[in-house]
């Protein structure tokens, strides 16, 4: 979303919510987004949640430069939906191979708060998403992210990345129309998977080249830059996993 806004040249004001202290489960944040998920935006006094809905909304308010081509609207919606469906797989790989927290990130008390706080409705309808989130964290508390879960998640990415790699064999960006929201959305996933140790360039050479091109764009480079201690911490985790033979490539058989 930040890259999308940067490409559109839109100024915005940031309000950071600390996931590490579960600020997203505070009463006030659940009052903004009853799902307790980031991101949310407030524009013209209205709250918007869900990245893909936010991006579609922002495109309608700030149409220039066009990042969701009119001609590919349905295709974009379908591919963004597919990307969103992989969010918990991305989270599983992130927690196991990137963040690797020493403690369970959500205590049973946190989950109790999560289950009862907030309106429980989205757009006036009963919303089940919090249940999905609670399931994820309960499974995590039970046994962390198991090899089996990690392998299944990595396979899903391998499959969609193979498809994207095929597309990029014939064109510079994921849509023939040029740079679009699809490139941004998949770039973010590829970036996180890279931090998890996924060998993008080795498995998907076209995607690897596309990634290198994208990461050099100033609007993107600025947003993915990590503070040095965080970068070093992630690199140390990868090195530790590698030394133990428990890195993503080994666990997922990539
Ligand atoms: N479908 C949602 C997924 C959002 C999501 O899962 N966001 C993560 C941060 S990237 C989050 O809020 N996690 C909550 C947590 O870790 O408790 C969207 O695209 O907005």
């Amino acid at each position: 979303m930040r890259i999308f806004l940067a490409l559109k040249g839109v100024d915005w004001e940031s309000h950071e919510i600390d996931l590490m202290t579960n600020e997203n489960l505070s009463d006030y944040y659940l009052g903004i987004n009853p799902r307790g998920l980031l991101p949310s935006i407030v524009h013209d006094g209205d709250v918007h949640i869900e990245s893909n809905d936010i991006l579609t909304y922002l495109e309608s308010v700030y149409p220039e430069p066009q990042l969701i081509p009119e001609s590919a609207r349905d295709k974009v919606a379908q591919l963004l939906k597919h990307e969103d469906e992989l969010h918990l797989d991305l989270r599983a790989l992130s927690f196991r191979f990137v963040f690797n927290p020493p403690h369970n990130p959500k205590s049973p008390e946190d989950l109790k708060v999560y289950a009862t706080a907030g309106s429980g409705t989205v757009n006036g309808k009963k919303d089940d998403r919090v249940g999905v989130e609670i399931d994820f964290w309960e499974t995590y508390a039970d046994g962390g992210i198991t090899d089996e879960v990690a392998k299944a998640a990595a396979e899903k990415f391998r499959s969609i990345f193979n498809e994207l790699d095929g597309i990029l064999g014939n064109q510079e960006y994921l849509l023939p129309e040029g740079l679009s929201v699809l490139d941004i959305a998949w770039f973010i996933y590829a970036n996180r998977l890279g931090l998890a140790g996924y060998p993008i360039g080795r498995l998907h050479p076209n995607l690897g080249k596309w990634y290198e091109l994208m990461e050099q764009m100033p609007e993107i480079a600025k947003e993915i830059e990590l503070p040095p201690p965080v970068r070093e911490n992630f690199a140390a985790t990868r090195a530790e996993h590698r030394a133990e033979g428990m890195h993503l490539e080994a666990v997922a058989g990539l």
Side-chain angles (χ1 to χ4, degrees), residues 19 24 36-39 50-52 84 87 91 106 133 137:
L19 287 176
N24 56 318
L37 296 174
L38 305 181
E50 285 300 322
S51 310
N52 293 342
D84 188 48
H87 207 108
R91 192 189 292 168
K106 306 269 191 282
E133 291 296 316
W137 295 115

Side-chain angles (χ1 to χ4, degrees), residues 19-20 22 24-25 29 33 35-40 49-54 83-85 87-88 90-91 95 105-106 114 129 133 136-137 189 192:
L19 287 176
M20 293 304 146
N22 289 318
N24 56 318
L25 306 187
Y29 189 71
N33 183 347
R35 294 181 174 171
L37 296 174
L38 305 181
S40 301
I49 64 169
E50 285 300 322
S51 310
N52 293 342
D53 294 340
I54 295 173
E83 178 249 22
D84 188 48
E85 283 162 0
H87 207 108
L88 291 183
L90 184 75
R91 192 189 292 168
F95 271 82
K106 306 269 191 282
Y114 206 178
R129 178 66 207 195
E133 291 296 316
F136 178 91
W137 295 115
Y189 273 31
R192 177 67 64 74

Side-chain angles (χ1 to χ4, degrees), residues 185-243:
W186 286 114
F187 175 83
I188 291 302
Y189 273 31
N191 174 257
R192 177 67 64 74
L193 286 167
L195 291 174
Y198 186 100
I200 299 179
R202 174 168 72 72
L203 295 180
H204 320 284
N206 298 324
L207 196 68
K209 281 195 210 110
W210 162 91
Y211 186 91
E212 281 169 21
L213 191 96
M214 294 277 293
E215 73 176 340
Q216 281 163 24
M217 295 175 62
E219 295 86 350
I220 294 184
K222 177 170 89 97
E223 298 298 346
I224 58 166
E225 199 178 326
L226 293 171
V230 175
R231 201 177 52 225
E232 284 155 23
N233 190 10
F234 290 170
T237 300
R238 276 196 306 274
E240 211 176 286
H241 286 164
R242 201 160 267 282

